[in-house]
Amino acid sequence: MFQCPHCKNKGIGIWAKLWCGSDAPAQCKYCGELSFVHSRYRFGLQSARPLIVSWLTIGLCIYLFFVSHPMYVLLAVPFIWLAGRFWALALLPLQPITQQQSVACRQFGNGFIVVVAILVITGITIASL
Ligand SMILES: [Zn+2]
């Protein structure tokens, strides 16, 4: 469980934090308030350490495989990657968000998809003329 930015209780579940975004925020089970992990953190900019450590460990596994050929070293790679992702997840800060802000983000996202769809359809129509 992770700490809620509103009430400071550990009310945010692991899966909720893993999948939350500004358009689909995680809900605290104690106070019911919403929070999310900002999308800029999802690209690893603020959590470089877990990414670097997991890549170095994976690199070491591949190196060991080429040096001494034990198959089990390669089996460890996905587990190291997963552990790195969970480590990164635990470090990411949750930001508070209101229901109105979340709805606004969702509407913006939907509007963006509609604009992209219109551009794609227009492009296909022009190309087929
Ligand atoms: Zn809370």
Side-chain angles (χ1 to χ4, degrees), residues 92-110:
L92 296 178
L94 280 160
Q95 294 181 349
I97 189 171
T98 64
Q99 188 72 48
Q100 287 89 342
Q101 285 172 316
S102 171
V103 169
C105 287
R106 201 174 308 143
Q107 284 169 345
F108 176 78
N110 290 344

Side-chain angles (χ1 to χ4, degrees), residues 4-9 11 28-33:
C4 165
H6 297 276
C7 66
K8 310 296 177 201
N9 286 316
C28 173
K29 73 172 188 177
Y30 292 105
C31 66
E33 294 286 345

Side-chain angles (χ1 to χ4, degrees), residues 8-75:
K8 310 296 177 201
N9 286 316
K10 292 197 177 295
I12 310 289
I14 291 169
W15 288 111
K17 187 170 180 184
L18 193 62
W19 296 113
C20 70
S22 57
D23 55 342
Q27 190 172 32
C28 173
K29 73 172 188 177
Y30 292 105
C31 66
E33 294 286 345
L34 302 173
S35 54
F36 73 107
V37 176
H38 197 281
S39 56
R40 71 170 177 260
Y41 298 121
R42 295 201 174 274
F43 301 106
L45 297 174
Q46 300 294 319
S47 58
R49 225 172 344 161
L51 200 68
I52 290 167
V53 170
S54 47
W55 274 116
L56 284 178
T57 319
I58 288 167
L60 184 71
C61 284
I62 292 168
Y63 171 76
L64 283 175
F65 176 74
F66 279 111
V67 167
S68 56
H69 307 286
M71 280 306 288
Y72 64 86
V73 173
L74 286 183
L75 294 176

